[in-house]
Amino acid sequence: MKKSLLTFLIGLLFMTQNIFAQERTISGTVTSSEDNLTLPGVAVQVKSSGQGTQTNADGKFTLRVKANDVLVISYLGYVSQEIVINNQVSINISLKQDNKALSEVVVTALGVKQNKRSLGYSVQEISSQDLTSTNQANPLNALKGKLVGVQITGSGGAAGAGTRVQVRGINSLSPSADNQPLFVIDGIPVSNATDNFGADNFQTPNRMADINPDDIESMTILKGPAASVLYGLRAANGAIVITTKSGKSGRTEISYRTSYSFDDVANTPPIQTKYGNGNNGALASTVNTWGPPIAEGTPVYNPYDLFFKTGHQLQNSLTLSGGNDKANYYTSFSNFDQTGVTPNSEYGRTSVKMAGTYRASNKLKFDASANYINSGGTNPRTGISSGAIFYLMRHTNTVNPADYLNPDGSQKVFNSAIDNPFYFAENSFLTDKVNRIIGNTGIDYSPNSWLNFNYKVGVDHYSDFRKSYNEVGLLISRLGSMSEQRIGYSEVNSNFLARATKQINKDLSATFLLGHSFTAIKRSSLNTSGSQAVVPGLESINNYVVYNSSSSNPQRNIIGVFGDLKLAYKNYLFLDLTARNDWSSTLPKDNRSFFYPSASLAFVFTDALKMSDNSFLSFGKLRASYAEVGKDADPYQIGIYYSTLQAFNGVSGINRNITFGSEGLRPERTKGLEFGTELRFFKDKITLDANYAITNSVDQIVPVPVSYASGFDLYVTNAGEIRNNSLELLVSANLVATKDFKWSLNANWSRTRGRVLSMPEGVNEITFNPESPWNKQIIKTGGRPGDWYGWPYMRVKDDPTGENNGKLLIGANGFPIVPQPLSENYLIGNAFPDWIGGLGSSFSYKNFDFSFLFNFRKGGFVNDISKWQRYITGIGAETDIRNTVVVFNGVKNVGTVTAPQYVTNDTQVTIDQNFYNNAFQYRLAPENNGFQDGSWIRLQNVSLGYRLPKSVLPNSGFVKSASLSVTANNLWVTTPFVGFDPESSTYGAASNAVGYVGTGIPTTRNIYLGLNVTF
């Protein structure tokens, strides 16, 4: 017995020793194969048990393993590896970048990179190639037709004209509110302001036009509150996060890109060429074209063909980048020159950017970036009642508008009611010159593998010097006038982030982020205007008899603290909880602090149900989110403010503003609920992304009209609620992928419906812009933002038989009836489209690349403000039926008002000048006054490229690659709209009054020849 026990104990000892001999500690280092830099935070796990660790700040790890264990090495954006331990005690692992995985990594709020599968909300990313392939100088124009749920609207075809971005509808009732998203470059917010000048009479640039598209690596569009809540109150309308290019370790790379364009106005209003100058069929020297038929041999002129010319754009961009394992750098220089399609229209931009990163150690990294931009140009005035386009449309067809100068240089005037459009464009204009600096610097410190601290401070500063000039003799200012405006803008942002990532156990990981942000915005505006010129033709503010000046210096400070907790379970269930509190200086002291949370959930059900190998559905995810975000007021909206008055007869004064604000003003609050799914089919060849979002904006900050007896005009308070419902579909497909041929397809469709749920107490309606002319946008309870109101022709509603209801009601004089009284407005349509979409495809065959993109808009009415001028003057093609006897298709009431009896109209009437000039017969009704369907199908972009084979490049290897391209933008459009282009905005990129068109320089068609070379 003792001998057996001794034998057992000895055997147990040897077995224990053998077991402990099998377990040992292994160490290693993980690097990137791209640049041999160590990778911190790489997951190292034992495949069988899930036990694991992460690499530290130096890319190193240690782990207890057994000889037969298999290690799984995984890192975001890299190809995972499995390594059998065997007898190794130290291993070095080099991970390769995974291009497919990289396409799944997106930059989200605060510049944090995340795998798209973990997101519980909708985001969309646009690559550098998507931006530069269109050759658009303004990067926002390159987004047209590519984004789901986002409407991109250009303000026209003027050189440097601005562009408006709107995400999921209007969120504010106030006509002056900012409904555009926040723009963020490399983690720092920047300005995208469009500073209008002179009641929107010029197509001024938006500030994102200052950014060189060649500097952009990617754009991520955060559409819902859950996606952008960590940016705080400034991201209540969403955020567009821009990541710029940086250098990479290895050989220095030099890239050069150049393009030259031919621009023209594709669509102009049709004109009639049968009748010439005069009135009521008689020849007369008048602005009208209601004269007799044009005699044979008389020259006939199309004013549009003569006025619009071929414009050009020349772009040159040079970039230099490189680095090593310690530092990398990126430098770019770009120049853009544009000559517009009208006289006296030009724009230019020069940009210089330098950026770099220095890795002091594997734990400590510094980065910095500086971008200087000089931009500006000249454009003619394009006003509603006096402007180059306005006068162009009133010009007769028998007088050559291009013959506009007398021998002494003065204007030739064929009629004193208008100025010559050529002369006006050259002598009534705006010039602007912008100097801008965007810079940031930051420090990143990782004391260990799971903890990271990041601090970044950035500045956006620009000055804009503007000069508006009107020569002596113009109708707009007979004695001459001039204005100067100096705009200053300075924004400083400071962000601190602390981020911890831990693998809690085999199945659960967590990431926790704490942060603090500070924003200080200072803006200044100094305006000086002069009238009554002393010396004609002298463009100097000192050349005037009468002067007026004004200035403003609004400021805003915002402090925010925030937290974000992300939990991942088995890499298929993801929960994200955020919270933020902001303090705004523009709100009353008691209401400056406001808190808003968010929660989102993502569930990859194909992984949970082990369906990843399914040949039909290879990936499936469900997502849901809820979030709230605030929005503060503009500066100086609280209480009563005073301003000084200009001295009169040596006596100065103080003026009390007629607008005052509530002392209890609260922040607006936007609440968003979002549901979506992402499905991939046939081994990820086809992807479907669907999303439904509901957004409620409450406690609207709006100016409410008050009784004049109070001594005020408007009272700024909280009231009103808007709800937007958005449905979004996005499809992408990689249909063919062989060695020589690749074919991909993408499509998007979205629909947003806004509804006004409540209005301020005592306010029945808010007018976004006055009728211009007759149609106007009014917001009412139960209505929608963008609702058009006017006076449509009356139609039968009370036919006892029901047979004639809906038919046009004809008066005793034989003409349609306009409703009375005109003090009552009638809903006639909405300015926003029923839906928008895009369809694009790209092909690659050997060295050839071809792509196209169609842009769709269904529904949405636009008001062509200038159309009424075309038929008053008789130049429009719609007046070609003059002197024709017609019978209007409708019915007339031969009974009484109380006992109507309708019969078919048989009264003959003559269509003549009086008909077109009579507001109550023709001009007043939206059926005739320019109110039109704004639908379109547009070939937004088409591109053909050829990559030169290496056999034709120099043998020295100095030239790495070269390509040639031909690209066209806005090449073709079909639309029921008659006029210029229904896309252009009369009131500019900064206005919430969408749908007004017709008086600005129209959208252009562009064809580019391009060359790209990499050294």
Side-chain angles (χ1 to χ4, degrees):
M1 181 69 180
K2 291 181 179 179
K3 184 178 180 180
S4 299
L5 180 60
L6 179 61
T7 303
F8 173 76
L9 291 174
I10 294 172
L12 183 61
L13 176 62
F14 276 102
M15 289 177 62
T16 305
Q17 287 177 338
N18 189 45
I19 291 173
F20 278 100
Q22 290 178 356
E23 289 188 354
R24 64 182 183 275
T25 298
I26 190 171
S27 62
T29 303
V30 182
T31 60
S32 169
S33 63
E34 298 291 316
D35 49 20
N36 292 322
L37 294 178
T38 56
L39 296 175
V42 177
V44 182
Q45 287 184 308
V46 177
K47 187 175 182 179
S48 59
S49 66
Q51 175 189 359
T53 184
Q54 290 181 333
T55 59
N56 62 20
D58 297 325
K60 299 182 183 299
F61 71 92
T62 58
L63 185 66
R64 294 284 295 176
V65 296
K66 298 177 182 179
N68 60 346
D69 279 342
V70 176
L71 292 184
V72 179
I73 317 297
S74 59
Y75 192 55
L76 186 65
Y78 287 79
V79 178
S80 297
Q81 288 189 29
E82 292 188 2
I83 298 174
V84 180
I85 297 298
N86 294 325
N87 295 320
Q88 300 180 83
V89 294
S90 177
I91 55 175
N92 292 320
I93 304 157
S94 179
L95 295 182
K96 293 182 179 180
Q97 284 191 351
D98 185 351
N99 292 331
K100 180 181 178 181
L102 284 174
S103 67
E104 299 300 316
V105 177
V106 293
V107 180
T108 59
L110 304 174
V112 176
K113 292 183 179 181
Q114 296 189 69
N115 195 308
K116 197 174 180 181
R117 69 184 280 131
S118 68
L119 301 180
Y121 46 80
S122 172
V123 301
Q124 190 173 351
E125 188 171 61
I126 300 296
S127 69
S128 173
Q129 176 64 23
D130 293 328
L131 296 174
T132 57
S133 63
T134 65
N135 284 302
Q136 293 279 13
N138 187 332
L140 298 187
N141 287 331
L143 303 178
K144 292 181 180 179
K146 298 177 180 177
L147 300 179
V148 62
V150 181
Q151 193 169 353
I152 312 291
T153 306
S155 59
T163 300
R164 171 186 171 84
V165 181
Q166 185 173 292
V167 179
R168 291 179 178 170
I170 292 286
N171 290 321
S172 293
L173 288 171
S174 174
S176 61
D178 183 5
N179 281 284
Q180 297 198 60
L182 174 70
F183 283 79
V184 181
I185 298 180
D186 294 332
I188 299 297
V190 298
S191 172
N192 182 44
T194 302
D195 298 302
N196 287 329
F197 187 100
D200 309 314
N201 288 327
F202 302 97
Q203 294 170 327
T204 50
N206 61 300
R207 291 277 60 90
M208 276 305 297
D210 295 334
I211 306 303
N212 174 23
D214 287 289
D215 290 338
I216 298 175
E217 182 70 34
S218 67
M219 278 189 180
T220 303
I221 291 80
L222 309 179
K223 287 176 278 191
S228 54
V229 65
L230 288 181
Y231 280 122
L233 57 90
R234 299 179 66 196
N237 304 314
I240 295 183
V241 180
I242 297 172
T243 302
T244 61
K245 294 177 180 177
S246 59
K248 296 181 179 180
S249 176
R251 170 183 169 177
T252 296
E253 182 175 278
I254 302 173
S255 297
Y256 172 67
R257 186 174 74 91
T258 184
S259 65
Y260 186 76
S261 78
F262 300 86
D263 313 328
D264 70 330
V265 174
N267 300 304
T268 58
I271 69 169
Q272 62 84 16
T273 57
K274 293 181 180 179
Y275 304 93
N277 205 217
N279 282 315
N280 297 314
L283 182 65
S285 180
T286 173
V287 71
N288 294 329
T289 312
W290 288 100
I294 298 174
E296 186 177 351
T298 301
V300 177
Y301 304 96
N302 185 320
Y304 309 118
D305 292 344
L306 294 171
F307 187 74
F308 296 118
K309 58 180 182 177
T310 300
H312 299 285
Q313 302 174 47
L314 175 62
Q315 300 184 63
N316 287 285
S317 179
L318 180 69
T319 64
L320 177 69
S321 62
N324 53 36
D325 59 349
K326 283 290 186 181
N328 62 57
Y329 61 90
Y330 174 87
T331 302
S332 72
F333 173 83
S334 70
N335 179 259
F336 171 71
D337 282 310
Q338 180 178 9
T339 302
V341 293
T342 70
N344 204 25
S345 178
E346 59 184 10
Y347 176 79
R349 182 192 67 214
T350 300
S351 171
V352 179
K353 178 180 172 65
M354 299 181 67
T357 300
Y358 174 70
R359 187 182 293 272
S361 69
N362 288 322
K363 296 183 178 181
L364 184 62
K365 183 177 68 173
F366 300 91
D367 62 81
S369 173
N371 190 6
Y372 169 74
I373 307 106
N374 174 265
S375 65
T378 302
N379 273 306
R381 182 182 296 271
T382 55
I384 294 173
S385 58
S386 60
I389 305 302
F390 178 84
Y391 290 137
L392 180 67
M393 283 181 290
R394 298 191 65 189
H395 208 280
T396 183
N397 57 9
T398 54
V399 177
N400 183 4
D403 181 17
Y404 63 96
L405 291 178
N406 293 311
D408 62 356
S410 61
Q411 175 184 193
K412 282 186 178 180
V413 179
F414 84 92
N415 187 275
S416 60
I418 65 171
D419 281 315
N420 178 279
F422 285 85
Y423 187 86
F424 187 87
E426 293 177 355
N427 291 278
S428 181
F429 55 85
L430 174 72
T431 64
D432 72 311
K433 183 177 181 180
V434 176
N435 285 283
R436 186 177 190 182
I437 295 176
I438 301 174
N440 64 75
T441 185
I443 181 172
D444 189 275
Y445 179 64
S446 300
N448 51 49
S449 62
W450 59 271
L451 184 61
N452 173 263
F453 299 101
N454 181 277
Y455 176 73
K456 180 171 283 190
V457 59
V459 62
D460 180 11
H461 173 83
Y462 68 82
S463 63
D464 188 355
F465 174 56
R466 299 171 165 196
K467 179 179 68 175
S468 170
Y469 181 77
N470 296 304
E471 182 55 271
V472 173
L474 296 176
L475 294 175
I476 194 173
S477 180
R478 283 297 193 189
L479 299 179
S481 62
M482 181 177 175
S483 297
E484 285 188 352
Q485 183 181 39
R486 298 177 185 269
I487 296 174
Y489 181 89
S490 180
E491 175 176 347
V492 177
N493 285 277
S494 168
N495 293 331
F496 173 76
L497 305 176
R499 189 181 185 199
T501 303
K502 291 291 289 183
Q503 187 73 37
I504 299 173
N505 56 40
K506 174 184 175 181
D507 297 328
L508 184 64
S509 64
T511 299
F512 184 59
L513 181 146
L514 283 175
H516 172 273
S517 68
F518 172 74
T519 299
I521 300 175
K522 295 181 180 180
R523 182 181 174 87
S524 63
S525 178
L526 175 61
N527 304 276
T528 303
S529 61
S531 58
Q532 301 181 26
V534 177
V535 179
L538 179 59
E539 297 178 24
S540 171
I541 196 65
N542 300 316
N543 184 40
Y544 296 90
V545 176
V546 179
Y547 291 95
N548 286 289
S549 63
S550 63
S551 66
S552 62
N553 297 278
Q555 299 184 29
R556 167 187 284 170
N557 292 331
I558 304 168
I559 297 174
V561 293
F562 47 86
D564 180 16
L565 174 63
K566 293 180 172 65
L567 298 174
Y569 177 73
K570 290 189 175 182
N571 203 34
Y572 64 68
L573 183 63
F574 306 90
L575 175 65
D576 191 355
L577 303 173
T578 72
R580 181 173 177 119
N581 199 95
D582 278 340
W583 291 263
S584 172
S585 65
T586 66
L587 294 171
K589 185 176 180 180
D590 292 340
N591 293 333
R592 285 180 179 173
S593 173
F594 45 104
F595 172 83
Y596 35 91
S598 80
S600 65
L601 186 68
F603 176 48
V604 183
F605 61 84
T606 48
D607 282 11
L609 303 176
K610 302 187 184 306
M611 298 171 55
S612 300
D613 294 330
N614 188 292
S615 59
F616 175 68
L617 181 63
S618 51
F619 179 87
K621 184 180 84 169
L622 301 175
R623 60 177 183 255
S625 67
Y626 173 80
E628 296 183 13
V629 63
K631 182 189 290 187
D632 63 351
D634 289 333
Y636 312 129
Q637 295 288 302
I638 306 165
I640 301 172
Y641 290 90
Y642 298 83
S643 58
T644 58
L645 291 175
Q646 186 175 5
F648 179 75
N649 289 333
V651 179
S652 299
I654 300 293
N655 176 56
R656 188 187 69 182
N657 292 349
I658 60 174
T659 298
F660 73 111
S662 168
E663 297 284 355
L665 200 65
R666 303 183 304 278
E668 294 185 9
R669 189 171 291 269
T670 298
K671 304 176 182 180
L673 185 63
E674 186 174 318
F675 304 95
T677 184
E678 182 181 351
L679 306 173
R680 301 178 196 166
F681 304 93
F682 309 113
K683 301 298 181 181
D684 295 356
K685 285 185 177 294
I686 299 175
T687 300
L688 169 65
D689 192 299
N691 202 72
Y692 180 70
I694 305 171
T695 304
N696 275 56
S697 297
V698 300
D699 279 346
Q700 299 277 308
I701 298 176
V702 291
V704 177
V706 294
S707 171
Y708 289 118
S710 66
F712 296 94
D713 181 28
L714 296 171
Y715 175 57
V716 179
T717 186
N718 294 100
E721 180 178 357
I722 291 179
R723 182 180 64 209
N724 284 297
N725 291 23
S726 299
L727 179 61
E728 302 162 354
L729 299 174
L730 182 65
V731 177
S732 61
N734 295 313
L735 301 176
V736 180
T738 66
K739 177 182 177 182
D740 292 332
F741 182 66
K742 294 180 177 63
W743 176 24
S744 64
L745 184 72
N746 59 82
N748 66 80
W749 180 94
S750 61
R751 171 177 179 150
T752 296
R753 280 287 181 273
R755 186 69 61 188
V756 180
L757 302 183
S758 65
M759 292 279 287
E761 184 178 353
V763 177
N764 296 321
E765 61 185 43
I766 296 176
T767 301
F768 261 54
N769 268 88
E771 55 273 33
S772 303
W774 308 300
N775 302 327
K776 47 193 169 184
Q777 286 182 21
I778 299 175
I779 284 183
K780 297 182 178 181
T781 300
R784 296 170 52 198
D787 276 347
W788 287 107
Y789 284 80
W791 302 277
Y793 284 150
M794 294 183 65
R795 295 182 179 273
V796 177
K797 298 180 180 179
D798 56 355
D799 184 10
T801 67
E803 296 179 358
N804 296 301
N805 285 335
K807 291 183 179 180
L808 201 64
L809 186 60
I810 309 300
N813 60 359
F815 291 100
I817 300 173
V818 173
Q820 300 292 323
L822 296 182
S823 58
E824 183 175 351
N825 295 297
Y826 297 84
L827 179 65
I828 56 178
N830 190 271
F832 290 101
D834 298 331
W835 55 264
I836 58 176
L839 175 64
S841 188
S842 62
F843 306 84
S844 177
Y845 178 70
K846 293 187 176 180
N847 288 10
F848 288 93
D849 299 304
F850 176 75
S851 65
F852 66 82
L853 174 66
F854 282 96
N855 183 5
F856 305 94
R857 168 181 164 134
K858 174 62 174 68
F861 288 94
V862 297
N863 182 24
D864 185 358
I865 299 174
S866 59
K867 186 178 180 181
W868 67 282
Q869 286 292 339
R870 300 199 295 270
Y871 54 70
I872 284 180
T873 59
I875 189 68
E878 55 268 68
T879 67
D880 207 14
I881 62 171
R882 65 186 66 181
N883 305 323
T884 302
V885 176
V886 301
V887 175
F888 278 93
N889 185 18
V891 297
K892 53 187 179 182
N893 184 8
V894 295
T896 64
V897 174
T898 56
Q901 182 180 352
Y902 297 102
V903 297
T904 301
N905 176 50
D906 58 0
T907 305
Q908 295 184 339
V909 294
T910 300
I911 304 299
D912 55 12
Q913 183 177 357
N914 290 330
F915 169 74
Y916 284 99
N917 280 245
N918 189 324
F920 294 95
Q921 289 181 352
Y922 193 85
R923 290 190 288 123
L924 200 61
E927 289 89 343
N928 305 308
N929 67 11
F931 190 73
Q932 303 181 63
D933 183 358
S935 301
W936 69 58
I937 300 175
R938 189 186 303 270
L939 182 54
Q940 190 67 54
N941 175 263
V942 60
S943 178
L944 175 64
Y946 177 69
R947 287 169 277 116
L948 273 64
K950 292 187 180 297
S951 59
V952 304
L953 300 178
N955 292 329
S956 64
F958 178 66
V959 179
K960 295 174 60 177
S961 64
S963 62
L964 303 171
S965 65
V966 179
T967 305
N969 292 325
N970 199 32
L971 186 62
W972 170 85
V973 62
T974 178
T975 174
F977 178 84
V978 179
F980 288 120
D981 192 308
E983 180 187 14
S984 302
S985 172
T986 289
Y987 291 105
S991 175
N992 289 326
V994 299
Y996 289 92
V997 301
T999 63
I1001 298 172
T1003 301
T1004 59
R1005 171 175 53 194
N1006 323 108
I1007 298 176
Y1008 300 85
L1009 303 178
L1011 169 67
N1012 291 0
V1013 183
T1014 301
F1015 303 95

